[in-house]
Amino acid sequence: MGFPRFFCYASIILSISAYLFPIMVNSIGINYGQIANNLPSPEDVVPLVKSIGATKVKLYDADPGVLSAFANTGVEFIVGLGNEYLDRMQDPAKAEAWVKQNVQAHLPATKVTCIFVGNEVLTFNDTTLSDNLLPAMQSVHTALVNLGLDKQVTVTTAHSLAILETSYPPSAGAFREDLIDCLSETLSFHQKTGSPFLINAYPYFAYKGNPKQVSLDFVLFQPNQGVIDQATNLHYDNMLYAQIDAVYSALASLGYKKLAVHISETGWPSKGDEDEAGATPDNAKKYNGNLIKLMSKKTGTPMRPNSDLNIYVFALFNENMKPGPTSERNYGLFKPDGTPVYPLGISTNDVVGSNTTAGGSIGNAVTQPSSPTSSSTGYLSISSATERYQFIGHVLLPASFLLIKTLV
């Protein structure tokens, strides 16, 4: 099978920038997944990240090629330790060796600020994984302390919204009873170390699960009458903010009201199978474009209006080797050749053409398509539509029914 070898990103981006990015934004985060065999080299990815104004990137591993390519660019990185590493990371020596090789070696040129250990572990319902999660996090943190890096690099893990027992109204948000003991210990770790609580939130799956009853405008940040949480009298005009506030409420119920919450994944697919309602370029454009515009306003959710929203859009590229239905391979803002999947309607202060030296001369770059580099089984399986659909069916669809009843 042949793949394109030549990627003239600078000329592509310069020619489309006025069309793709007409509104200024301050900063966004982006998930950089690599489960594909046709992606550009990391050096060619640098200007693409800059073209959307992203100053934060989340990797599902600690790909040295990516981290080296982004050296001296100022872009902040969250790097990942997959679920398959949890058992071995409990060994202090192995944890320290991993941190030395995958984090310390890239500092300070590349700004690695966080390590997320495990992806959506608690909703696997695998006691071996869940039992290993906190010890692995503690071991990695201890390694950072020993290396004098704990003040600049934090340790966390990413959760699915399926950890919530109740998600609506937002003020009634509560964690699953069977997870509270495990979560409480993890939350104590966050509080002691100052690390953020990461949550992956996808309003798309609420719509996909019941498109006739879930308001499309409500999930796409389009104008709508919204809903009012009767307990707080707060008004919500989009589902994502309601989901975030449900997480805030759940944390507060356990005594962690001040814990920082970051949205480590959210997005919308531009293509799907026949049974994947709403997976279109127009809807993806509205979801991601409207979300980024909201982020640029530097305002928080109704419950936390003064809290900075740290949101990572999923994802930078369409990934052709991801398992599951068609939607799983079509979350990207960009195609593998560097062209946009759809226009977002945003702009940045950073003109890509004047910054290509950070990643080398890309105008004449000859690029060998990369192989899938993510070894994280957590990313491969939990990011699959099967798992996502299951947690929507168990947790978020009941919430969406309540939202629709209120809307109607």
Side-chain angles (χ1 to χ4, degrees):
M1 180 180 295
F3 296 95
R5 291 177 60 89
F6 296 84
F7 296 84
C8 298
Y9 288 106
S11 59
I12 291 173
I13 296 170
L14 288 173
S15 65
I16 64 173
S17 59
Y19 170 64
L20 183 61
F21 311 124
I23 294 187
M24 305 299 287
V25 298
N26 293 304
S27 172
I28 63 173
I30 190 76
N31 282 271
Y32 180 3
Q34 299 181 77
I35 303 180
N37 61 5
N38 58 357
L39 298 183
S41 70
E43 289 76 14
D44 290 340
V45 172
V46 174
L48 290 181
V49 169
K50 286 181 171 289
S51 76
I52 57 172
T55 61
K56 298 173 290 186
V57 172
K58 176 167 157 278
L59 292 178
Y60 290 87
D61 50 22
D63 186 331
V66 172
L67 295 176
S68 295
F70 277 84
N72 304 310
T73 62
V75 175
E76 295 184 7
F77 273 84
I78 296 179
V79 297
L81 263 167
N83 297 347
E84 69 275 16
Y85 287 96
L86 297 183
D87 182 46
R88 73 187 79 167
M89 282 303 107
Q90 295 179 77
D91 182 332
K94 291 179 180 178
E96 188 163 319
W98 187 92
V99 171
K100 284 182 178 179
Q101 179 179 345
N102 296 283
V103 177
Q104 188 179 45
H106 297 280
L107 296 171
T110 303
K111 298 177 65 175
V112 179
T113 61
C114 185
I115 303 167
F116 76 100
V117 180
N119 193 45
E120 301 188 349
V121 169
L122 298 186
T123 44
F124 265 121
N125 296 318
D126 183 329
T127 55
T128 300
L129 280 178
S130 57
D131 288 348
N132 289 341
L133 178 59
L134 182 58
M137 293 170 65
Q138 292 170 327
S139 186
V140 173
H141 175 70
T142 298
L144 290 169
V145 172
N146 293 341
L147 296 170
L149 301 175
D150 57 303
K151 302 303 181 184
Q152 62 189 103
V153 183
T154 59
V155 177
T156 186
T157 187
H159 299 284
S160 157
L161 270 180
I163 62 174
L164 293 182
E165 183 76 37
T166 305
S167 57
Y168 187 83
S171 60
F175 293 118
R176 280 170 40 183
E177 287 289 336
D178 61 312
L179 297 179
I180 286 180
D181 288 344
C182 181
L183 273 170
S184 294
E185 294 180 347
T186 304
L187 295 174
S188 177
F189 171 86
H190 288 309
Q191 187 176 65
K192 290 176 182 176
T193 63
S195 58
F197 185 81
L198 303 188
I199 197 83
N200 299 336
Y202 286 89
Y204 162 69
F205 293 103
Y207 179 77
K208 172 190 171 183
N210 210 312
K212 293 183 179 180
Q213 291 188 280
V214 175
S215 167
L216 186 58
D217 287 339
F218 189 74
V219 294
L220 292 180
F221 309 97
Q222 293 288 97
N224 66 93
Q225 69 183 34
V227 298
I228 294 177
D229 187 327
Q230 298 297 327
T232 61
N233 206 35
L234 293 175
H235 179 264
Y236 292 87
D237 59 11
N238 70 81
M239 184 178 285
L240 180 64
Y241 279 19
Q243 291 174 338
I244 296 173
D245 277 356
V247 174
Y248 280 132
S249 294
L251 290 170
S253 70
L254 295 183
Y256 296 94
K257 186 176 181 179
K258 296 183 179 180
L259 202 63
V261 174
H262 295 182
I263 308 307
S264 44
E265 285 185 24
T266 192
W268 196 283
S270 60
K271 185 179 180 181
D273 295 322
E274 289 185 4
D275 62 344
E276 294 188 288
T280 67
D282 185 58
N283 286 341
K285 170 187 174 181
K286 288 176 180 176
Y287 185 86
N288 288 321
N290 287 337
L291 172 61
I292 292 170
K293 290 174 188 176
L294 276 178
M295 291 166 61
S296 73
K297 295 179 180 179
K298 296 284 187 179
T299 58
T301 64
M303 192 176 290
R304 300 285 181 85
N306 297 318
S307 294
D308 185 25
L309 287 177
N310 286 276
I311 297 178
Y312 291 77
V313 175
F314 188 88
L316 188 59
F317 292 109
N318 285 338
E319 299 172 70
N320 70 343
M321 296 187 72
K322 290 197 70 178
T326 298
S327 64
E328 283 299 308
R329 294 173 288 283
N330 290 277
Y331 273 85
L333 302 183
F334 291 100
K335 300 174 185 177
D337 66 0
T339 58
V341 177
Y342 46 81
L344 274 176
I346 63 173
S347 183
T348 73
N349 291 314
D350 197 9
V351 179
V352 174
S354 64
N355 288 279
T356 55
T357 55
S361 177
I362 63 170
N364 299 309
V366 178
T367 306
Q368 180 68 38
S370 61
S371 299
T373 58
S374 175
S375 60
S376 170
T377 55
Y379 174 43
L380 281 163
S381 56
I382 279 293
S383 290
S384 72
T386 301
E387 293 293 338
R388 286 174 174 166
Y389 183 77
Q390 285 176 349
F391 85 66
I392 288 298
H394 292 158
V395 177
L396 297 182
L397 278 182
S400 67
F401 286 133
L402 288 170
L403 286 169
I404 296 308
K405 288 180 180 178
T406 309
L407 281 169
V408 175

